[in-house]
Amino acid sequence: MPPELPRREWLQALLLGTAAQPWRAWAQRSNPAGLAADPFGLGVASGSPSHNSVVLWTRLCTDGLGPANATVSWELAEDAQFARVLQRGQVTAQAELGHSVHVEVSGLQAERWVHYRFMVGDAVSPVGRTRTLPAPEALAPRLRLAFASCQRWEHGFYAAWRDVATRNPDLVLFLGDYIYEYASPPGGPTPQAKTPIHRVHTLRRAQTLADYRDRYALHKSDPALQAAHAACPWLLTWDDHEVENDYAGERGRESSGADFLRQRSAAYQAFYENQPLRASVLLHGLQGLARPDALRIYQRSDFGRLARFHLLDDRQYRAVQACREAGSSGAGTVRAGRCAELTDPARSLLGPAQEQWLAQGLAQDASPQGPRWSVIAQQTLFSPRHYGGASAAARADEPTPTDPWDGYPAARRRLLADLQATPPRNTVLIGGDVHQNYVCRVQADPDRPDSAVLASEFCGTSISSHSGATLERAAALQRDNPHILLARPDQRGYAWVELSPQRWQTTLMAVDDPGRADSPVRPLARFVVEDGRAGPQPDTV
């Protein structure tokens, strides 16, 4: 940070500035019009960074603006006071894109922190802080990042994001379920209920473009989330709740065909409008959002030669969950021995094209010029979970969840074969979705505890979304699955990673009380992966 404004003071100013915005009124009314007093009430963000470019984002709150486009000015500077401006310009906030702004700034120096802001009329946005990544040939000495998922607004406050913002991350990886499409459960806050509700909104279940825009505005009204966005660049993928729970490709929870594709198109457009994504993800423009390949969000991102991130999309191209009946209300579990479709080798979680893209990328990672750490960043738990014993008979009759990788065992075996055929120097999988913390050894044969360890896996818990699992069930999973080193369902939080050429360290961070915006956040467990040694090892917290 420049000497004029140390980072701690900048962050405090950011949080105080956000708190002064009308988010409190929004939380009480859940009416997007309530944010109109500040056109930048949804905050600012940056993302999709490279060594010489980054995307700057905001979305205007537009009461009084109506359907008209708006001209937004932007500045990028070395310092938080904007005394040393590097670039500036103007961009149109188009009404057809929800008055969102995506500025793709290029020509920047590698590995450099900068500040940015937006202006419209007399209004000035909060100041965001972002960075470029190291040059392609550079082996950076360290990388500090957070990864997280699943932030249902009603289930808790975002104390985890407040903690992330104070830790000075280089990067945030968000792995899906940024919003939840549900209407708020009836009644007021009920922290003692089986599924605690700590805050309520009045939005209906999202189905239209306006519904999804309102849902993003609700989530983005949270000051802690805004602070985390403004602290560093983000890489993002989606999961199911950005559209509808358990949807698969072109099939919704309860419908398919034209009706669901209209809903999915609206949700995809809202995702683009509300995230710091490049225009190139819209493969066919706004008019092509109903196509099977509407948005290309899977991507690779290189942090110099230290780490390469393969960020996946496991929703848009997947086969429908095994043995899911037409008209069913979503995915569930099946008895493995009673669902032949489960083991169909043609079924894919990623789709054939993305599978091939990932296999080619992992083969490139295995070359002498490849990265020190090859990171597969995806939505859910990759490692298998067996319930009730290790015998073949027990596993044939065990309940198998059909939505995560357990429901696509042939696709998992193909990825394991790719890792075994041309192994990168170090492979780590990270995921979310399940609202539980898992740390696992990724083995060549998931059904053989003595098979070779190919990679390490860290699956983080949710930012706020409730978990229905129990400690007893988690303990049984660890007992029956030797590759699972840790299973904890009872904490909300995120994962903090400190990475060097010699070592990967993951600290699982846990929120004390999801019902408090100011809740302390503490280390739950820590594991390390040593360079050249596959598999996580416990470390002291």
Side-chain angles (χ1 to χ4, degrees), residues 365-435:
D365 290 357
S367 71
Q369 294 76 37
R372 185 63 55 93
W373 299 90
S374 180
V375 187
I376 302 174
Q378 45 87 55
Q379 285 85 340
T380 189
L381 181 67
F382 179 78
S383 296
R385 288 175 292 179
H386 293 300
Y387 301 86
S391 70
R395 291 187 174 179
D397 198 48
E398 69 181 356
T400 300
T402 59
D403 197 58
W405 283 92
D406 276 345
Y408 299 81
R412 178 164 56 199
R413 288 188 178 276
R414 286 193 294 272
L415 178 49
L416 291 171
D418 292 335
L419 287 173
Q420 195 166 26
T422 52
R425 177 164 175 159
N426 300 290
T427 302
V428 178
L429 292 93
I430 60 176
D433 176 57
V434 294
H435 307 174

Side-chain angles (χ1 to χ4, degrees), residues 158-510:
Y158 293 164
W161 284 130
R162 188 202 70 242
D163 194 66
V164 168
T166 64
R167 281 178 163 264
N168 193 23
D170 295 301
L171 195 64
V172 165
L173 271 70
F174 192 81
L175 303 178
D177 291 345
Y178 191 96
I179 63 166
Y180 278 70
E181 79 282 14
Y182 301 125
S184 192
T190 54
Q192 287 75 41
K194 183 177 180 181
T195 302
I197 301 299
H198 295 288
R199 45 186 180 175
V200 297
H201 64 77
T202 58
L203 300 175
R204 69 174 191 172
R205 179 175 172 267
Q207 292 181 293
T208 68
L209 179 57
D211 293 338
Y212 286 108
R213 284 172 173 170
D214 288 353
R215 201 57 53 102
Y216 280 100
L218 172 69
H219 286 68
K220 284 179 173 290
S221 70
D222 189 284
L225 178 57
Q226 289 189 17
H229 268 299
C232 71
W234 284 38
L235 293 173
L236 300 104
T237 188
W238 55 29
D239 199 9
D240 52 344
H241 289 287
E242 282 86 354
V243 179
E244 183 176 84
N245 184 39
D246 290 342
Y247 91 93
E250 299 179 46
R251 179 168 171 181
R253 184 175 175 87
E254 298 178 358
S255 64
S256 59
D259 287 344
F260 176 70
L261 283 179
R262 278 192 291 271
Q263 178 184 343
R264 196 190 75 163
S265 297
Y268 282 9
Q269 178 172 337
F271 181 82
Y272 173 75
E273 291 176 352
N274 286 280
Q275 304 297 7
L277 302 171
R278 297 182 183 272
S280 58
V281 306
L282 292 169
L283 293 182
H284 312 287
L286 291 180
Q287 305 309 313
L289 286 172
R291 294 177 56 146
D293 55 345
L295 266 70
R296 164 73 182 267
I297 64 166
Y298 65 87
Q299 60 176 296
R300 275 189 267 278
S301 182
D302 289 352
F303 197 87
R305 291 184 54 241
L306 179 63
R308 172 171 293 160
F309 298 94
H310 306 270
L311 192 63
L312 305 185
D313 173 0
D314 81 353
R315 282 292 159 189
Q316 189 172 189
Y317 315 104
R318 67 158 64 196
V320 172
Q321 295 89 348
C323 297
R324 178 174 168 181
E325 297 179 2
S328 68
S329 60
T333 60
V334 297
R335 298 290 176 178
R338 305 177 195 177
C339 177
E341 186 182 5
L342 189 70
T343 56
D344 181 349
R347 298 181 68 254
S348 175
L349 185 67
L350 304 177
Q354 189 179 187
E355 278 195 18
Q356 183 179 17
W357 171 88
L358 179 58
Q360 291 170 344
L362 293 173
Q364 293 168 2
D365 290 357
S367 71
Q369 294 76 37
R372 185 63 55 93
W373 299 90
S374 180
V375 187
I376 302 174
Q378 45 87 55
Q379 285 85 340
T380 189
L381 181 67
F382 179 78
S383 296
R385 288 175 292 179
H386 293 300
Y387 301 86
S391 70
R395 291 187 174 179
D397 198 48
E398 69 181 356
T400 300
T402 59
D403 197 58
W405 283 92
D406 276 345
Y408 299 81
R412 178 164 56 199
R413 288 188 178 276
R414 286 193 294 272
L415 178 49
L416 291 171
D418 292 335
L419 287 173
Q420 195 166 26
T422 52
R425 177 164 175 159
N426 300 290
T427 302
V428 178
L429 292 93
I430 60 176
D433 176 57
V434 294
H435 307 174
Q436 304 172 50
N437 283 305
Y438 283 93
V439 179
C440 306
R441 291 187 295 263
V442 178
Q443 296 181 270
D445 186 340
D447 296 324
R448 287 184 50 210
D450 60 343
S451 64
V453 178
L454 303 180
S456 307
E457 179 175 22
F458 300 96
C459 186
T461 190
S462 59
I463 288 286
S464 59
S465 304
H466 180 67
S467 170
T470 64
L471 284 169
E472 293 77 13
R473 189 169 179 83
L477 274 174
Q478 283 189 246
R479 182 190 64 235
D480 295 335
N481 297 267
H483 61 278
I484 297 178
L485 306 183
L486 178 142
R488 285 293 298 270
D490 59 329
Q491 300 285 350
R492 313 280 65 80
Y494 68 97
W496 178 254
V497 176
E498 298 192 21
L499 186 57
S500 73
Q502 297 78 34
R503 174 176 159 120
W504 172 298
Q505 177 182 283
T506 295
T507 304
L508 303 175
M509 303 298 299

Side-chain angles (χ1 to χ4, degrees), residues 36 39 52 151 418 511:
N52 62 3
Q151 51 184 21
D418 292 335
V511 173

